[in-house]
Structure formats: structure tokens, C-alpha cells
Amino acid sequence: MEVKNIGIFGRRNVGKSSLVNLLLGQDYAIVSPEAGTTTDPVKKRMEIPGAGPCNLIDTAGIDDTGETGSKRVKKSKMIMEQIDLALLLFAGNCFGREEKELLKEFKKKDIPVISVHNQSDIIGLDPGLAEELRKKSGTDVLEFSCCLIDENVQRKKTGELLELIVKNLSGSKERTILEGLVEEKDNIVLVCPVDSEAPHGRLILPQVMAIRDILDHNATATVLQPSELEDYLKKGVPVKLVVTDSQVFKEVGEIVPADIPLTSFSILLSRAKGPFREYIRGAEKMEKLEDGDTVLILESCTHHATCQDIGRIKIPRLIEKHTGKKLHFEFISGLDEIPFPVRPEGKKSYALAVQCGGCMVTRKQLENRIRILREKGIPVTNYGMAIALATGIFRRAVGIFNEI
Ligand SMILES: Nc1nc2c(ncn2[C@@H]2O[C@H](COP(=O)(O)OP(=O)(O)OP(=O)(O)O)[C@@H](O)[C@H]2O)c(=O)[nH]1
Ligand SMILES: [Mg+2]
């Protein structure tokens, strides 16, 4: 299940870290009456009933000043690129420029927000302000306190906040990997080569996700190696769909009759995770690359050695071979900020960006990165699409979806 990221923002001393501790039920983040206690973002995993696993991310106060302060503010703002939900804390009915700017940013990034008026045990939330916020920003607004004396009242109040969190997270559900492609009693063939690149003793994530999705639909998953496919198909068992590892798509494509839909795990993953149509358009832009163009490779899953090999070596080679052009490649790891250098001869910073499958990041994190590129007019595709195009299987693998 996807881990949701919940960012906690607000000015210094409004009680962000206190709220993190309250939700976790433990003293995790440092709390003090001194403004500017939290300096770097602090992440902690917790299970929220109804929302599943979530990372709570405590941030430094958004109103910090001075040279170091502004660096902290920048870090807090970078967290915005990763989150599925924001808790905007304020206190003493102080909802000014900082809070309004945050709201604007969240709106721009399409991030749901809960405005939490904390320290309401000291000063209660002004109903006029609450109404204005609800109307103008369309966010949920909650009068809250982290320091209620009566434990039962505190528990009830915390429960209200958790309910709002679950509600606001429910809109960001991911598609399953076989969404709309599998029904009860279907037989889906999964071609999973067990070669030197396969991880030792297990299957890779999209393969596991597909098996689970098939089981969830009370359908049958037939899992086999490419060498077994031909004999299996000869048996005449009805097959709804064949999904293969893209590395062996070509061989598999020659075996699977044209009337059986065939696609790849990476195409399915990009459909579940990312902006599918945009990736398709981006893939088509790959054909139009010119000599001297720079291609940006976005490797979001840094810790995976085979992923790195694909992103750093295989994809660049495939794209150069397919286009026959002399290209430059630049790489960004994890969720690092994307620079947009000025290029000579009026060239764009990047003629194309190629995003990895994103198996370790959330849909929202991918969307946020892609939005930044879109704003700069840079086409984006992903590894799966680039491989499909370069190996000549694009039309067949993508053509089975009626979204195009
Ligand atoms: N009375 C009252 N005090 C609170 C409440 N929440 C937090 N505090 C106190 O407010 C002070 C600041 O709390 P923190 O949780 O450190 O605030 P923060 O927003 O994380 O502050 P920075 O890390 O400096 O940005 C501490 O002394 C807390 O005990 C509340 O709901 N009511
Ligand atoms: Mg703090």
C-alpha cells in the first residue's frame, strides 16, 4: 500500500512539533517555547486507521528570518513537492501573509489542506475567520489544541483531526496496476523472466502488484518464463491479456497472436502512477530530438542498483541508438530540485525528460515533479515508454488502452 505523506506547516511556535508528538502518541519531535526549535524537516511513519501508512513530516517555521532562517524556509517549502496532504497550523487567529501564501502554493499544487487553529486553549478560533477560511480557501478548518487538560476531550479532539485527515487523503487514491483490465474468472498471463537482472529469490514490485490485483478480482494469474509461453498458448486456454517484462517484449510479441492484447509491466506501472497521456505525448517527442539536445533522466528510486543501471546506461543508449542523434544526458536523483540551466543557441534546458517507473515514490510526488517540467514546456515521458518506443513495441503495448 502506498505511504501517504502529510506535511505540517506554519509559523514558528504554533505547535507543529507538539502536534506530531500528539498524533504519534510519543515524544518524538523536540518541543520548546523557543521559536525556531525545529530546523530540518523531520519524518516519522505512523499507521492512520482508514488512511493506512503515513509519513508525518514536521517542518521548520515558515516565518523564520535571517540567512539560516531563509534556508530553513526553503527546505520546508521543498517538502511541499512530496506531500499528499498539508496541515496548516496557525494560532491566536493570526492568519496573515505567510499563511495565505502557503494556501496559494497548496492550491497551485492541488494539495488538500486542513487549516488547524492550534493553542485554542489560550485563544479560541474566531468564528468569523473560520467561516472566511472555509469559504475562501475551501479547506477544512478545525479549532484545536495540543494541550487539553482532560484526556478524554483531547482524545475526542484528536479523533476529529484524524477523521479530517482520512477524508482529505481519500481523494488521492492510486489506480491499481491492472485497473479496468481484469475481471472475475479472467486468465492473465504474466511473463516474468528469471535472469541475471531479476532480484535473487523474489519478484519485482510491478509483478507482485499484478498478481495481487488479479487475486483481488478472483481471476487467475498464470506466471511463467518466456521460454514456457509458446507451449502454454498452444494449450488453447483462453487468455484475456499478456503482460511481459519489457526487456523480452520483442520475443514475446512474436509468440502472442495479434488478437490477444499484450503490454508490459512498465507501461502498466506508468499508467497506474503517472500522467499516462502526457507520457505518451512525451514518447512521441522522442522521435523529434535533434543533435546537441539535452535529455534529463529523473531517477526517483535512488537506492536500487538495477534502476540506476537502467537510467544511467541503458536508457541513454537506447534513445541515442533509436534517434541516431548525438545527445547530452543529465541525471537527477531522488526528489532533488530540478535546475533549469540556460543553453546556448536558444535550446531548451531539456528537450525531453524521462522519468523512472517511480515504484518508490507516490503518484503525487511524481505529479508535482512533472508539473514543474510542464510549466517550463518540457515534454516528459518515462522509462517504460522510452523502452517501448526504442524497441518498436510502443504501438502494440500502448495501443491496448482506449485512453489514447
Ligand atoms: N497552551 C498551548 N501550548 C501549546 C500548544 N501546542 C504547543 N504548545 C506550546 O507551544 C510551544 C511551541 O511548541 P512547538 O511544538 O515546539 O512549536 P513548533 O511550531 O514546532 O515551533 P518551531 O519548531 O519553533 O517552529 C511549546 O512550549 C509547546 O508546549 C497548545 O495547543 N496549547
Ligand atoms: Mg517544531
Short mmCIF file of all heavy atoms in Angstrom, two decimals, residues 10-19 30-39 58-61 89 118-122 144-147, ligand 1:
data_model
loop_
_atom_site.label_atom_id
_atom_site.label_comp_id
_atom_site.label_asym_id
_atom_site.label_seq_id
_atom_site.Cartn_x
_atom_site.Cartn_y
_atom_site.Cartn_z
N GLY A 10 3.51 25.91 9.19
CA GLY A 10 3.01 27.04 9.97
C GLY A 10 4.17 27.87 10.48
O GLY A 10 5.34 27.52 10.26
N ARG A 11 3.83 28.96 11.15
CA ARG A 11 4.89 29.80 11.70
C ARG A 11 5.61 29.09 12.84
O ARG A 11 5.13 28.06 13.33
CB ARG A 11 4.28 31.08 12.26
CG ARG A 11 3.65 31.91 11.19
CD ARG A 11 3.11 33.17 11.81
NE ARG A 11 2.16 33.75 10.89
CZ ARG A 11 2.04 35.04 10.68
NH1 ARG A 11 2.78 35.90 11.36
NH2 ARG A 11 1.16 35.49 9.81
N ARG A 12 6.69 29.70 13.29
CA ARG A 12 7.40 29.14 14.44
C ARG A 12 6.50 29.19 15.67
O ARG A 12 5.70 30.13 15.82
CB ARG A 12 8.66 29.96 14.72
CG ARG A 12 9.76 29.73 13.69
CD ARG A 12 10.86 30.73 13.84
NE ARG A 12 10.39 32.07 13.53
CZ ARG A 12 11.11 33.17 13.67
NH1 ARG A 12 12.33 33.10 14.14
NH2 ARG A 12 10.61 34.35 13.37
N ASN A 13 6.64 28.20 16.51
CA ASN A 13 5.97 28.17 17.81
C ASN A 13 4.45 27.99 17.81
O ASN A 13 3.81 28.19 18.85
CB ASN A 13 6.28 29.47 18.59
CG ASN A 13 7.27 29.22 19.70
OD1 ASN A 13 7.56 28.05 19.99
ND2 ASN A 13 7.78 30.26 20.32
N VAL A 14 3.89 27.64 16.66
CA VAL A 14 2.43 27.44 16.67
C VAL A 14 2.06 26.05 17.20
O VAL A 14 0.89 25.75 17.41
CB VAL A 14 1.77 27.67 15.29
CG1 VAL A 14 1.85 29.13 14.88
CG2 VAL A 14 2.39 26.77 14.22
N GLY A 15 3.09 25.18 17.35
CA GLY A 15 2.82 23.86 17.90
C GLY A 15 2.87 22.73 16.89
O GLY A 15 2.24 21.68 17.08
N LYS A 16 3.67 22.92 15.84
CA LYS A 16 3.76 21.87 14.80
C LYS A 16 4.34 20.58 15.37
O LYS A 16 3.81 19.49 15.18
CB LYS A 16 4.63 22.37 13.62
CG LYS A 16 4.10 23.62 12.95
CD LYS A 16 4.99 24.09 11.83
CE LYS A 16 6.37 24.57 12.28
NZ LYS A 16 6.34 25.70 13.22
N SER A 17 5.47 20.74 16.08
CA SER A 17 6.12 19.54 16.64
C SER A 17 5.25 18.93 17.73
O SER A 17 5.19 17.69 17.87
CB SER A 17 7.49 19.90 17.20
OG SER A 17 8.26 20.52 16.20
N SER A 18 4.55 19.77 18.49
CA SER A 18 3.65 19.23 19.52
C SER A 18 2.57 18.38 18.88
O SER A 18 2.21 17.32 19.39
CB SER A 18 2.97 20.38 20.29
OG SER A 18 3.94 21.25 20.80
N LEU A 19 2.07 18.83 17.73
CA LEU A 19 1.02 18.08 17.04
C LEU A 19 1.56 16.73 16.53
O LEU A 19 0.88 15.70 16.65
CB LEU A 19 0.44 18.90 15.88
CG LEU A 19 -0.67 18.19 15.10
CD1 LEU A 19 -1.87 17.93 15.99
CD2 LEU A 19 -1.10 19.01 13.88
N ILE A 30 11.29 17.51 18.98
CA ILE A 30 11.61 18.40 20.10
C ILE A 30 10.62 19.56 20.13
O ILE A 30 10.35 20.21 19.12
CB ILE A 30 13.05 18.96 19.97
CG1 ILE A 30 14.06 17.81 19.87
CG2 ILE A 30 13.38 19.88 21.14
CD1 ILE A 30 15.45 18.25 19.49
N VAL A 31 10.09 19.78 21.33
CA VAL A 31 9.13 20.87 21.55
C VAL A 31 9.74 21.83 22.55
O VAL A 31 10.33 21.42 23.53
CB VAL A 31 7.82 20.29 22.12
CG1 VAL A 31 6.92 21.38 22.66
CG2 VAL A 31 7.08 19.47 21.07
N SER A 32 9.63 23.13 22.26
CA SER A 32 10.08 24.10 23.27
C SER A 32 9.42 25.45 23.02
O SER A 32 8.98 25.73 21.90
CB SER A 32 11.61 24.23 23.23
OG SER A 32 11.99 25.36 22.49
N PRO A 33 9.36 26.27 24.07
CA PRO A 33 8.74 27.59 23.88
C PRO A 33 9.62 28.53 23.06
O PRO A 33 9.20 29.63 22.70
CB PRO A 33 8.58 28.12 25.32
CG PRO A 33 9.29 27.19 26.22
CD PRO A 33 9.74 26.00 25.46
N GLU A 34 10.81 28.07 22.72
CA GLU A 34 11.71 28.93 21.95
C GLU A 34 11.33 28.85 20.46
O GLU A 34 11.18 27.73 19.93
CB GLU A 34 13.13 28.39 22.12
CG GLU A 34 14.19 29.45 21.94
CD GLU A 34 15.55 28.86 22.28
OE1 GLU A 34 15.74 28.45 23.45
OE2 GLU A 34 16.38 28.79 21.38
N ALA A 35 11.20 29.98 19.80
CA ALA A 35 10.83 29.98 18.39
C ALA A 35 11.99 29.46 17.55
O ALA A 35 13.14 29.83 17.80
CB ALA A 35 10.45 31.38 17.95
N GLY A 36 11.71 28.61 16.60
CA GLY A 36 12.76 28.10 15.72
C GLY A 36 13.41 26.83 16.25
O GLY A 36 14.58 26.58 15.97
N THR A 37 12.68 26.03 16.98
CA THR A 37 13.24 24.79 17.56
C THR A 37 13.51 23.75 16.46
O THR A 37 14.58 23.16 16.39
CB THR A 37 12.27 24.20 18.60
OG1 THR A 37 12.03 25.20 19.58
CG2 THR A 37 12.85 22.97 19.27
N THR A 38 12.51 23.54 15.62
CA THR A 38 12.69 22.57 14.53
C THR A 38 13.45 23.27 13.40
O THR A 38 13.03 24.34 12.95
CB THR A 38 11.33 22.07 14.00
OG1 THR A 38 10.58 21.61 15.12
CG2 THR A 38 11.49 20.97 12.98
N THR A 39 14.54 22.64 12.98
CA THR A 39 15.32 23.30 11.91
C THR A 39 15.20 22.55 10.58
O THR A 39 14.85 23.14 9.58
CB THR A 39 16.80 23.41 12.33
OG1 THR A 39 17.23 22.13 12.76
CG2 THR A 39 16.99 24.42 13.44
N ASP A 58 7.32 16.96 10.00
CA ASP A 58 7.37 18.20 10.77
C ASP A 58 8.33 19.14 10.04
O ASP A 58 9.35 18.69 9.50
CB ASP A 58 7.90 17.88 12.18
CG ASP A 58 7.82 19.06 13.12
OD1 ASP A 58 7.17 20.07 12.77
OD2 ASP A 58 8.41 18.97 14.23
N THR A 59 8.02 20.41 9.97
CA THR A 59 8.89 21.34 9.24
C THR A 59 9.28 22.52 10.12
O THR A 59 8.68 22.75 11.18
CB THR A 59 8.19 21.88 7.97
OG1 THR A 59 7.06 22.65 8.39
CG2 THR A 59 7.74 20.77 7.05
N ALA A 60 10.27 23.27 9.64
CA ALA A 60 10.68 24.48 10.35
C ALA A 60 9.66 25.58 10.09
O ALA A 60 8.98 25.57 9.06
CB ALA A 60 12.05 24.91 9.87
N GLY A 61 9.56 26.54 11.01
CA GLY A 61 8.60 27.63 10.87
C GLY A 61 8.78 28.39 9.57
O GLY A 61 9.89 28.68 9.15
N LEU A 89 -0.96 24.92 10.31
CA LEU A 89 -1.22 25.32 11.69
C LEU A 89 -1.09 26.82 11.86
O LEU A 89 -0.17 27.44 11.31
CB LEU A 89 -0.20 24.64 12.63
CG LEU A 89 -0.75 23.44 13.40
CD1 LEU A 89 -1.07 22.33 12.44
CD2 LEU A 89 0.23 22.97 14.47
N ASN A 118 -4.38 26.05 16.24
CA ASN A 118 -3.85 25.38 17.44
C ASN A 118 -3.83 26.36 18.61
O ASN A 118 -4.11 27.54 18.45
CB ASN A 118 -2.45 24.84 17.16
CG ASN A 118 -2.00 23.85 18.21
OD1 ASN A 118 -2.82 23.09 18.75
ND2 ASN A 118 -0.71 23.85 18.54
N GLN A 119 -3.50 25.84 19.77
CA GLN A 119 -3.43 26.62 21.01
C GLN A 119 -4.76 27.34 21.29
O GLN A 119 -4.78 28.45 21.83
CB GLN A 119 -2.27 27.63 20.93
CG GLN A 119 -0.94 26.93 20.67
CD GLN A 119 0.26 27.86 20.57
OE1 GLN A 119 0.11 29.07 20.54
NE2 GLN A 119 1.44 27.29 20.50
N SER A 120 -5.84 26.67 20.92
CA SER A 120 -7.17 27.27 21.14
C SER A 120 -7.54 27.28 22.61
O SER A 120 -8.53 27.92 23.00
CB SER A 120 -8.24 26.52 20.34
OG SER A 120 -7.88 26.49 18.99
N ASP A 121 -6.76 26.57 23.44
CA ASP A 121 -6.99 26.65 24.89
C ASP A 121 -6.55 28.02 25.41
O ASP A 121 -7.00 28.46 26.47
CB ASP A 121 -6.22 25.54 25.62
CG ASP A 121 -4.74 25.52 25.25
OD1 ASP A 121 -4.43 25.59 24.05
OD2 ASP A 121 -3.89 25.46 26.17
N ILE A 122 -5.67 28.69 24.65
CA ILE A 122 -5.25 30.05 25.06
C ILE A 122 -6.19 31.09 24.43
O ILE A 122 -6.80 31.88 25.11
CB ILE A 122 -3.78 30.33 24.64
CG1 ILE A 122 -2.85 29.22 25.15
CG2 ILE A 122 -3.33 31.70 25.12
CD1 ILE A 122 -1.40 29.34 24.67
N PHE A 144 -8.42 23.66 17.48
CA PHE A 144 -7.67 22.55 18.05
C PHE A 144 -6.76 23.01 19.18
O PHE A 144 -6.45 24.21 19.31
CB PHE A 144 -6.82 21.91 16.94
CG PHE A 144 -6.32 20.53 17.28
CD1 PHE A 144 -7.13 19.43 17.18
CD2 PHE A 144 -5.00 20.35 17.72
CE1 PHE A 144 -6.67 18.15 17.50
CE2 PHE A 144 -4.53 19.08 18.04
CZ PHE A 144 -5.37 17.98 17.92
N SER A 145 -6.35 22.05 19.97
CA SER A 145 -5.32 22.33 20.97
C SER A 145 -4.55 21.06 21.25
O SER A 145 -5.13 19.97 21.27
CB SER A 145 -5.97 22.84 22.27
OG SER A 145 -4.96 22.91 23.26
N CYS A 146 -3.26 21.20 21.43
CA CYS A 146 -2.43 20.03 21.76
C CYS A 146 -2.32 19.84 23.26
O CYS A 146 -1.73 18.87 23.72
CB CYS A 146 -1.01 20.21 21.21
SG CYS A 146 -0.92 20.22 19.44
N CYS A 147 -2.81 20.81 24.05
CA CYS A 147 -2.55 20.78 25.49
C CYS A 147 -3.84 20.81 26.31
O CYS A 147 -3.96 21.62 27.24
CB CYS A 147 -1.67 21.97 25.88
SG CYS A 147 -0.11 21.98 25.06
N1 LIG B 1 -1.19 26.16 25.53
C1 LIG B 1 -0.76 25.50 24.49
N2 LIG B 1 0.54 25.42 24.24
C2 LIG B 1 0.95 24.72 23.16
C3 LIG B 1 0.04 24.07 22.29
N3 LIG B 1 0.74 23.48 21.31
C4 LIG B 1 2.03 23.72 21.55
N4 LIG B 1 2.17 24.50 22.66
C5 LIG B 1 3.42 25.01 23.22
O1 LIG B 1 3.93 25.95 22.27
C6 LIG B 1 5.35 25.92 22.30
C7 LIG B 1 5.88 25.66 20.89
O2 LIG B 1 5.50 24.37 20.51
P1 LIG B 1 6.28 23.56 19.36
O3 LIG B 1 5.53 22.31 19.16
O4 LIG B 1 7.72 23.47 19.67
O5 LIG B 1 6.05 24.57 18.16
P2 LIG B 1 6.62 24.49 16.66
O6 LIG B 1 5.58 25.03 15.78
O7 LIG B 1 7.12 23.12 16.39
O8 LIG B 1 7.82 25.53 16.76
P3 LIG B 1 9.14 25.62 15.87
O9 LIG B 1 9.77 24.28 15.80
O10 LIG B 1 9.96 26.59 16.61
O11 LIG B 1 8.74 26.14 14.54
C8 LIG B 1 5.75 24.84 23.29
O12 LIG B 1 6.05 25.43 24.50
C9 LIG B 1 4.50 23.98 23.40
O13 LIG B 1 4.39 23.33 24.64
C10 LIG B 1 -1.35 24.19 22.60
O14 LIG B 1 -2.23 23.68 21.88
N5 LIG B 1 -1.69 24.90 23.69
#
